Amino acid sequence: MTAVVPAPVMARLNARQVFQWLSYLQYPAMLVALAYALRPILNGMDGALEAYNSALLYAGVGVGMSSLQDPTKTQNKASRRIWESPRKGRALLWLLAVQALLPIVLGLLGAALVNTAALGQLSLGLVAFGLGMIGMLKTAIEMREHHRLDKQVITPDNGVSEAGA
């Protein structure tokens, strides 16, 4: 009789679980962004532009990491109610789109028009933050498509299935 050797833990994980775990890196990145944002306030605004640039970069990475989460799951009841409602979901997607595109546009304009290196770097920080928000917008679109109640039908064999999302 031969012993069955269990497969390594990583072999049993699917890609969705690995990305879900990687999405938790958003929290340390956001804490670092918060620390950079608070530094000028605590130091009498010394080095504010550089600190805010770093805060925007880390916040962009943090928001981008949040886009790795599983779009088939919601984090709480409030988000589930938003994504199940076609009207609320659409409104939130528009809000996220503006929050993603506005920093990118302002950052690109700022990078093209400013004469100082510090403001140019801050502009690029805005672009990085906006790109992170684009990732969040993509995940929000997937969550809306998956959770919308008006696009799901009840089937006798498995409960709920999607109908032309």
Side-chain angles (χ1 to χ4, degrees):
M1 179 174 223
T2 61
V4 176
V5 178
V9 174
M10 291 303 286
R12 288 184 272 163
L13 295 177
N14 64 29
R16 192 174 298 260
Q17 289 172 322
V18 171
F19 284 119
Q20 179 70 28
W21 288 352
L22 286 174
S23 76
Y24 290 113
L25 292 175
Q26 68 182 299
Y27 299 112
M30 294 304 264
L31 285 174
V32 171
L34 180 63
Y36 275 112
L38 290 176
R39 184 192 299 180
I41 295 169
L42 300 174
N43 291 338
M45 298 309 284
D46 186 36
L49 290 178
E50 294 84 8
Y52 290 144
N53 177 48
S54 295
L56 285 169
L57 287 172
Y58 278 100
V61 169
V63 170
M65 291 300 241
S66 74
S67 69
L68 296 176
Q69 70 187 11
D70 185 359
T72 64
K73 299 177 182 176
T74 57
Q75 295 169 338
N76 52 45
K77 290 179 183 178
S79 67
R80 182 174 308 138
R81 281 194 300 265
I82 289 170
W83 296 124
E84 287 177 349
S85 166
R87 193 183 96 248
K88 291 176 187 175
R90 182 176 37 251
L92 187 60
L93 288 179
W94 276 109
L95 178 64
L96 287 172
V98 168
Q99 288 179 334
L101 295 177
L102 189 63
I104 293 173
V105 169
L106 291 176
L108 291 174
L109 283 174
L113 299 177
V114 297
N115 295 330
T116 62
L119 285 175
Q121 290 298 316
L122 187 65
S123 297
L124 294 178
L126 273 172
V127 171
F129 178 74
L131 290 174
M133 290 297 295
I134 292 286
M136 178 185 270
L137 176 62
K138 180 206 158 285
T139 300
I141 291 169
E142 290 176 359
M143 290 180 82
R144 179 175 185 248
E145 288 175 355
H146 188 272
H147 293 287
R148 281 179 64 174
L149 290 179
D150 65 334
K151 295 290 183 176
Q152 296 178 352
V153 294
I154 304 295
T155 59
D157 57 339
N158 64 356
V160 176
S161 69
E162 294 185 25

